[in-house]
Amino acid sequence: MNSKVKMVFTYILLGVATVISVFPLLWMVIAATNKSVDVIAGKLTIGSFIVENYKNLVAQQPLWSSFLNSCKYTVLVTVFALIVSALAGYAFEIYRDKAKERIYGVVLMSMMIPFVALMVPLFRMYSKLGLLNSAIGFMLPSLATPLLIMMFRTNAKAFPVDIIEAARIDGLSEFGIFFKMYIPSMKSIFAAAGVVTFMNAWNNYLWAKVIMSDNTTQTMPMLISNLISGYVTDYGMLMLAVLITTIPTAIVFFALQKNFVEGITGSVK
């Protein structure tokens, strides 16, 4: 009887936690279909104003060009960040020496430096290099993050050294070992790192706002910021923009959810 009561209590607690977690997303969807006055009034039923909200959004902001910019920048950042960070993490673990350990220590210590402290020197440097309003300028600060390098190094500890030695004896190059043997066995960590990188790049507002001053290069977070910077905010239109912005990250997360959990827990297959 006690076990049944405990189980019922557990399910009730999980149900309440689920409702609390899902409600903001549900409210966002509902708000996107209602007028601004209805959103302010707290209306919790689906409305019929989503088409008008979409027309107003497209009329006021370059919605789809901003969406495509976010897609382009995010995909590029994710692909190159995974390659660079994976190479760094693999090299730090497989090719050990005292100098590399010192460098790795410096890399980890850099995690304690807030990004806002780096923005001014980065902006001045990128301005002199002519990288403002460019994909390269947006990408470079995110290509080798300490967190990703640490994740890949931690998972590289589970990669059998005997296999590397056997591959070298068979004449496989170091890059061949990395791309043909290491990467296929680390799908889970690549999925986990890919989800983290994709979400960070997609939601990157601060650096994008600093480096992108042209409206033709703005991203979705910048577009949302523009919607709330006026004297009067249309909350229905704003929630529709937020909903559209949320869809890609939700798709990526749910598509890689299983591998994400495996990668975070450090499992290797």
Side-chain angles (χ1 to χ4, degrees), residues 35-72:
K35 298 180 181 180
S36 182
V37 291
D38 294 330
V39 176
I40 296 173
K43 183 181 178 181
L44 295 177
T45 56
I46 297 292
S48 58
F49 209 71
I50 188 170
V51 176
E52 293 298 323
N53 286 336
Y54 175 77
K55 290 180 179 178
N56 293 335
L57 179 59
V58 173
Q60 293 187 25
Q61 294 291 330
L63 173 63
W64 294 114
S65 64
S66 300
F67 186 86
L68 291 176
N69 285 337
S70 285
C71 290
K72 179 178 68 175

Side-chain angles (χ1 to χ4, degrees), residues 91-103 153:
F92 276 124
E93 180 59 30
I94 303 302
Y95 310 110
R96 289 191 177 187
D97 59 49
K98 292 183 179 180
K100 287 189 178 68
E101 292 300 321
R102 295 191 187 97
I103 296 174
R153 181 175 184 179

